[in-house]
Amino acid sequence: MKVLIVNTFDRGGAANACKRLHLGLLEAGVESKVLLKNKQNNWSQSFILPPKSTPPSLNEKLKTKVIRILKGVKLYPIKPEKQKPGIPFLQKRSEKLEMYSFPHSNYDITQSPLYQQADIINLHWVANFLDYKSFFLKNTKPVVWTLHDMNPFLGIDHYAEKYIGMDTHGEPISRSISKEESKINRDFADLKKDCIEQIENLTVITPSRWLAAEASKSEAFKGRNVKVIPYGLDDIVFAPRDQKTSREILNLPLDKKIILFVADSVVNNRKGFSYLEKTLEEFQTEKILLCAVGSNVKLRSNDNLIELGEIKDDRLMSVVYSAADVFVIPSLIDNLPNTVLESIMCGTPVIGFPVGGIPDMIDHGKNGLLAEEISVKSLVKILKEFLDNPEVFDRKEIRRAAKEKYKGKVQAKKYMELFNEILKA
């Protein structure tokens, strides 16, 4: 069985999940290869695809048009090549929102020898890499699409974000969407649906039950086979370390309660850092310390903050999780964050809002706590509940349960079973 995994990058949250699956398949004896648009790391059996060097000839254009007509593909309501970031509504788009992307690119994945050699194609996070028009028109292979966000079935958004910012009372402010933005999202969602309709052998995988429900009711994937397979982790790398030793390694105080926050960027509204920042204002005590991993983490006062910066080494991250008393993830919408899995795999309890796939991972009262709603008041209440009685959480049991559900070999086995089922059909 030859599997080709396709992902835009080899770094970032989706890339980490992609890499862990790839390595798990290789360990299990599967001939897995990864095709990337941007390559910065040295993954085993990973390759880069160059963009198309020359524009298609007139004959190629005519051939493509004839095939489209024969296949009954609808004409696209908006010509993608004319949609550029300079259009008015994008100029007004808040920088706090998650990134956006368009469903076209100068890459033809079907022309790669790796594609041609593969038995099955496993798409992952393919924004700005997968050209919907050419791929779904030319593809002849079974496709398993692992979703890491909502972009494959939305227009240009990657998440259907409901909130943008927080008011003075710590309550979320609803996002306002203009008519122009609604139209372009709707038009591109229709384009994606029309392209995806051309493929018969398609299975959609989502790491969380929430994303599975959202995908199943979308126009693009309605009626498709949608399965839930959670991410997997290397349970040897992400393992509990002695807390005292971990704090000494990181030069963290031994006599304080350490709250951990991890994010690539705190300026991303979706990550909800402003809620945690305002929550900590209610805990003005020298006994509590916020330990932050990521870029640009700034509090109004740095007296109770230690910034560890960006950490790329997984083993060092396991030391960070082990040093903390609790990991807080205040995301306003999310799929199945790797950070939560990493934390509980290291035995560290987690606090979060009841959104997206986070309730899949947090078993309230056993491996963490879920706030009642998205608000500072709710986060203050649940954090106080934890700090009043942190001993209620058994870190060994948290670790045991996490291994049972999220061990890398468990994920790899489920994918192998699915691949074999598809190829035998």
Side-chain angles (χ1 to χ4, degrees), residues 273-285:
F273 180 72
S274 58
Y275 289 81
L276 177 57
E277 181 181 21
K278 194 168 182 62
T279 292
L280 292 178
E281 292 177 3
E282 302 295 322
F283 296 88
Q284 294 296 335
T285 171

Side-chain angles (χ1 to χ4, degrees), residues 52-65 105-108 131 133-134 138:
K52 289 185 253 184
S53 56
T54 57
S57 66
L58 179 60
N59 286 338
E60 289 174 327
K61 288 181 178 179
L62 290 173
K63 181 180 178 181
T64 299
K65 187 174 182 179
S105 77
N106 192 34
Y107 291 83
D108 188 347
D131 183 75
K133 179 180 175 181
S134 66
K138 299 178 180 179

Side-chain angles (χ1 to χ4, degrees), residues 244-387:
K244 180 176 181 294
T245 303
S246 296
R247 292 192 179 190
E248 289 174 345
I249 291 172
L250 299 168
N251 197 26
L252 297 174
L254 302 176
D255 59 344
K256 293 189 177 185
K257 293 295 182 185
I258 293 181
I259 299 170
L260 178 64
F261 173 82
V262 182
D264 290 334
S265 174
V266 300
V267 297
N268 185 335
N269 169 75
R270 185 174 66 83
K271 296 299 184 181
F273 180 72
S274 58
Y275 289 81
L276 177 57
E277 181 181 21
K278 194 168 182 62
T279 292
L280 292 178
E281 292 177 3
E282 302 295 322
F283 296 88
Q284 294 296 335
T285 171
E286 295 181 354
K287 295 181 180 179
I288 296 178
L289 176 72
L290 174 63
C291 184
V293 175
S295 59
N296 302 317
V297 181
K298 298 291 182 185
L299 289 177
R300 294 186 180 91
S301 170
N302 288 332
D303 293 342
N304 295 320
L305 167 68
I306 290 183
E307 297 182 57
L308 295 178
E310 187 178 11
I311 297 177
K312 299 180 181 179
D313 184 83
D314 286 346
R315 290 187 185 275
L316 183 55
M317 273 306 303
S318 73
V319 173
V320 175
Y321 287 115
S322 298
D325 290 286
V326 63
F327 168 53
V328 178
I329 179 164
S331 294
L332 308 184
I333 185 172
D334 223 325
N335 173 25
L336 198 84
N338 285 296
T339 52
V340 176
L341 304 186
E342 292 165 3
S343 183
I344 59 176
M345 192 68 84
C346 294
T348 302
V350 181
I351 290 175
F353 291 130
V355 298
I358 292 176
D360 282 17
M361 299 177 285
I362 298 180
D363 190 352
H364 188 78
K366 293 184 178 180
N367 67 356
L369 297 169
L370 285 169
E372 294 177 356
E373 61 180 9
I374 298 176
S375 71
V376 170
K377 181 180 178 181
S378 180
L379 191 54
V380 168
K381 179 182 177 182
I382 209 71
L383 183 56
K384 186 178 186 301
E385 181 180 331
F386 173 83
L387 293 172

Side-chain angles (χ1 to χ4, degrees), residues 23 45 307:
L23 296 181
Q45 294 298 308
E307 297 182 57

Side-chain angles (χ1 to χ4, degrees), residues 168-211:
T168 55
H169 302 290
E171 299 285 340
I173 299 173
S174 295
R175 174 188 176 189
S176 176
I177 302 177
S178 67
K179 291 181 179 179
E180 294 80 8
E181 188 172 3
S182 295
K183 183 179 186 305
I184 198 168
N185 269 301
R186 184 173 61 252
D187 287 343
F188 274 106
D190 288 343
L191 182 154
K192 290 179 178 180
K193 176 179 72 69
D194 291 343
C195 291
I196 293 171
E197 280 180 351
Q198 306 313 304
I199 181 172
E200 294 183 6
N201 199 340
L202 172 66
T203 303
V204 179
I205 300 297
T206 67
S208 67
R209 291 176 293 178
W210 163 77
L211 191 55

